[in-house]
Amino acid sequence: MSDPRPALLGPAEIRELAARLGVNPTKKLGQNFVLDPNTVRRIVRTAGVEAGETVVEVGPGLGSLTLGLLEAGARVAAVEIDGRLAEQLPLTVAEVGGLDAAARLDVVHADALRVTELPDPVRFVANLPYNVSVPVLLHFLEHFDSIRSGVVMVQAEVGERIAARPGSKVYGSPSVKSAWYGAFRVAGQVSRQVFWPVPNVDSVLVGFTRHDEEPGTAEERRATFRLVDAAFGQRRKTLRQSLSGVLGGADAAGGALAAAGVDPSARGERLTVEDFLRIARVAAA
Ligand code: SAM
C-alpha cells in the first residue's frame, strides 16, 4: 500500500496552498514555484545532500524544495523575504513532511542579502529568485566560510555566465567572482513547465565545490572585484583603458598590467581570476 501522505508538494498541493494563503506570485520577488517532485529530488540528489548536515536554502517559497531537503534528512535554514510564505512554511512542513521534518527546519524571515549569521551551513541549495541570483550566491559565499558546496537553479543565461571560462563569449564579472570561491559547472537543464507560473526563460542547475583555500585575503578580494567590475563595465575596451579609472590613469594602468605580466591591450574576457588578483597586488604594492 502506498503512503497516503505525499512527502513532497505536487501541482494540486501548490495551487491549494497558494489559494489558501491568497498568494499571487510576484515577478518582483522572482516567485516561480516548483510543481514537480521529480525536479525537487533531482536537485537534492545533484547537490549530494546528506542526512544530519545543515543546508541553507534561500527563497523556500511554498516549500517544494525545503521538503525535498528535509526528506533527505538534512537540517534546513530557510531564508524567505515574503512574510506570508515565511509564516506558513513551518505549518506546511509539519503537515506534509511530519513533525520530525518540522523539528529540523529553521525559518528566517529576512532579505537574504542582509543575512550574515546562520548555524554554519555546509551546503547551499536554492531555486534562486532570478532578479538577485548572482548577488545572493556571492553574498553567501562571502559571509559563510562553512559552505563547502551547493546547487542553485537559475536562469539559463545566468548559469552559463557563472560557469563560463576565460575566452568564452559569456565570460564576465559573475564568472570571475564565482571562480574566486570555487569551481562551478552547469549541472543540467530544467524545463520551464515545472514552474508555476511558467517563466518566459529557461533554467539550469549550477553546481559548485568550494576551493580549499581562496586565492587571496578578503581585502585582496575586494580590490580584485573592483578591477573586475571596471574591466567588464567597459568590456569592449582594452584593459589599459577600462582600468584607467580605478588605477589612476591610463599610464599607471598600463604600468600595473605590464608589471603583473598581463598584456595592456588585452580585454577582460581573457583574464582568469588569478590574473586580476596579480594586477590588484601590483596596484596595492
Ligand atoms: N524554493 C521555492 C520553489 O522552488 O518552489 C521558491 C523559489 S522562487 C524562484 C524564489 C523565492 O525567493 C520566492 O519564495 C521569493 O519570495 C523569495 N525571495 C525573493 N527575493 C528574496 C530575497 N532577497 N531574500 C530571500 N528570499 C527572497
Side-chain angles (χ1 to χ4, degrees):
M1 229 174 65
S2 65
D3 184 345
R5 193 172 63 182
L8 300 181
L9 302 172
E13 290 83 18
I14 291 282
R15 283 182 212 283
E16 193 269 322
L17 254 176
R20 189 164 13 122
L21 297 176
V23 168
N24 240 334
T26 73
K27 263 207 158 136
K28 188 167 157 253
L29 292 180
Q31 291 178 333
N32 296 94
F33 303 111
V34 173
L35 297 169
D36 175 36
N38 288 331
T39 301
V40 166
R41 291 203 172 102
R42 178 177 160 213
I43 296 172
V44 173
R45 207 172 45 243
T46 305
V49 173
E50 289 175 13
E53 69 181 25
T54 302
V55 174
V56 59
E57 181 192 5
V58 167
L62 291 166
S64 308
L65 180 55
T66 320
L67 281 159
L69 296 166
L70 292 165
E71 184 184 61
R75 308 188 69 84
V76 179
V79 183
E80 174 59 59
I81 199 169
D82 185 324
R84 283 165 316 170
L85 298 178
E87 203 178 315
Q88 174 63 32
L89 187 60
L91 307 176
T92 305
V93 166
E95 194 179 313
V96 181
L99 293 180
D100 165 64
R104 286 182 278 114
L105 171 69
D106 277 316
V107 180
V108 180
H109 174 207
D111 178 348
L113 288 168
R114 295 184 176 276
V115 171
T116 52
E117 276 181 46
L118 286 173
D120 289 348
V122 296
R123 237 182 273 277
F124 184 79
V125 186
N127 171 14
L128 288 174
Y130 286 172
N131 39 349
V132 287
S133 50
V134 172
V136 166
L137 177 64
L138 295 174
H139 174 87
F140 275 78
L141 289 166
E142 176 183 346
H143 290 278
F144 296 96
D145 287 347
S146 56
I147 295 174
R148 303 317 306 164
S149 70
V151 166
V152 292
M153 178 144 69
V154 294
Q155 186 179 336
E157 282 169 17
V158 173
E160 274 147 25
R161 212 167 246 281
I162 291 172
R165 303 277 186 269
S168 147
K169 243 199 255 160
V170 296
Y171 187 71
S173 154
S175 337
V176 189
K177 292 181 181 176
S178 302
W180 177 278
Y181 296 104
F184 286 71
R185 66 191 189 285
V186 173
Q189 322 287 318
V190 180
S191 155
R192 51 181 88 178
Q193 302 307 324
V194 306
F195 298 97
W196 172 72
V198 176
N200 47 19
V201 293
D202 291 318
S203 297
V204 292
L205 300 182
V206 172
F208 68 88
T209 307
R210 198 178 186 123
H211 300 315
D212 290 337
E213 270 183 47
E214 287 170 22
T217 64
E219 197 181 324
E220 287 173 334
R221 184 193 66 233
R222 285 189 284 274
T224 301
F225 284 14
R226 265 196 300 279
L227 295 177
V228 170
D229 287 334
F232 290 102
Q234 308 180 65
R235 62 181 294 143
R236 298 198 158 274
K237 294 196 173 170
T238 65
L239 287 164
R240 186 175 187 276
Q241 293 169 311
S242 61
L243 297 186
S244 64
V246 283
L247 291 180
D251 287 345
L257 286 159
V262 175
D263 177 0
S265 66
R267 293 184 173 74
E269 65 210 31
R270 296 264 151 217
L271 269 56
T272 63
V273 67
E274 288 80 13
D275 293 329
F276 279 107
L277 172 58
R278 273 204 321 284
I279 304 166
R281 282 182 173 151
V282 167

